[in-house]
Amino acid sequence: CQHENANIITVVDSTWAPPVITRPLLLGADAVLHSGTKYLGGHSDVLLGTISCSPINESGKFIAERLKSVQTSIGAVASPLECWLTLRGLRSLHVRVERQCQTAMKLSTYLDGHEHIVKVHYPGLTSHPHHATAKRQMAMYGGMLSFEVKNESMAMAVAGAVSTIRRATSLGGTETLIEHRASIEPPERRTSPPGLLRMSVGLEDADDLIDDLKIALDIASQICDN
């Protein structure tokens, strides 16, 4: 994260890679953001965000002072209940994320060899263009992955055919979720490929999830081929 221009402030949103996976402040970032609603809380029942500032970098110290001033003058702090729920989630963060990462790796490996899958996006795969960077910076490869099928119709069919996996937008909770990103993005700002499905891996058994995807892909293939 170091930059030759000392005036540039580096802020990292590390929501997808909680502290048990990577720690941007140790890599030189000035501040790191987390949506506590996701992995930190871990149970899809918290509305909370965090920002941690470097106590070493001058820019980090500057941000911390400004944030303290905002909190004092405006009162921008989380409620006691949200803080308690997040602390509860932090107690199981490591074991949850470890399980999610292990399962994500198994799912990615399975999907990477499937005949109906065009591409799998997961940094734990050696085929990923940034695998070397992830291996250097991360203790685990995360619980988020995405994969592409041949077109939007098949992607929607897959998302509609799963049963163990739930169709929803959030991430980082105990349930495995799947969503078709392109259909929820504004048309003028659509960036996701039409055949892409994003998955947030939960705590279910990996074999159950693989079976669910296998059946869903078979059903979607039959629908799209007819």
Side-chain angles (χ1 to χ4, degrees), residues 2 14 28 53 55 69 85 95-96 98 103 114 144-145 148 156 164 171-173 175 178 191 193 195 205 221:
Q2 297 294 341
S14 196
C53 302
S69 175
L85 288 171
V95 292
R96 282 189 289 106
E98 186 174 48
T103 302
H114 197 284
M144 298 294 299
L145 65 97
E148 297 179 45
M156 297 295 281
T164 302
L171 60 99
E175 307 89 1
I178 193 169
T191 59
D205 184 80
S221 177

Side-chain angles (χ1 to χ4, degrees), residues 11 22 31 42 55 70 77 91 111 114 127 133 148 152 182 191 199 202 204 216 224-225:
V11 180
T22 190
V70 170
V77 294
R91 294 187 181 102
L111 291 168
H114 197 284
S127 58
T133 301
E148 297 179 45
E152 183 170 344
T191 59
M199 287 185 63
E204 302 92 343
C224 294
D225 289 343

Side-chain angles (χ1 to χ4, degrees), residues 34-190:
H34 284 279
S35 171
T37 306
K38 308 302 192 295
Y39 284 103
L40 301 188
H43 294 78
S44 306
D45 57 5
V46 175
L47 288 175
L48 181 141
T50 71
I51 178 168
S52 304
C53 302
S54 172
I56 300 173
N57 301 347
E58 291 303 318
S59 294
K61 295 177 183 178
F62 170 77
I63 297 171
E65 292 174 0
R66 295 295 297 271
L67 287 173
K68 186 176 181 180
S69 175
V70 170
Q71 286 183 317
T72 301
S73 59
I74 300 178
V77 294
S79 73
L81 176 60
E82 307 297 330
C83 294
W84 180 81
L85 288 171
T86 305
L87 284 172
R88 175 207 60 182
L90 287 172
R91 294 187 181 102
S92 62
L93 178 64
H94 190 280
V95 292
R96 282 189 289 106
V97 170
E98 186 174 48
R99 171 66 175 265
Q100 288 163 325
C101 292
Q102 291 172 350
T103 302
M105 189 72 239
K106 292 180 181 178
L107 294 179
S108 297
T109 302
Y110 167 74
L111 291 168
D112 197 39
H114 197 284
E115 60 178 328
H116 297 309
I117 301 300
V118 176
K119 193 171 185 179
V120 180
H121 305 276
Y122 186 67
L125 296 175
T126 56
S127 58
H128 192 279
H130 303 297
H131 173 73
T133 301
K135 187 175 182 179
R136 184 173 68 251
Q137 294 184 352
M138 305 168 74
M140 296 175 277
Y141 295 111
M144 298 294 299
L145 65 97
S146 63
F147 60 92
E148 297 179 45
V149 292
K150 63 181 181 180
N151 54 40
E152 183 170 344
S153 296
M154 186 167 182
M156 297 295 281
V158 172
V162 292
S163 57
T164 302
I165 300 168
R166 303 186 184 188
R167 190 172 180 178
T169 296
S170 192
L171 60 99
T174 58
E175 307 89 1
T176 297
L177 307 178
I178 193 169
E179 69 167 336
H180 181 251
R181 291 295 301 170
S183 63
I184 67 169
E185 294 173 347
E188 68 277 7
R189 292 189 286 112
R190 185 168 291 176

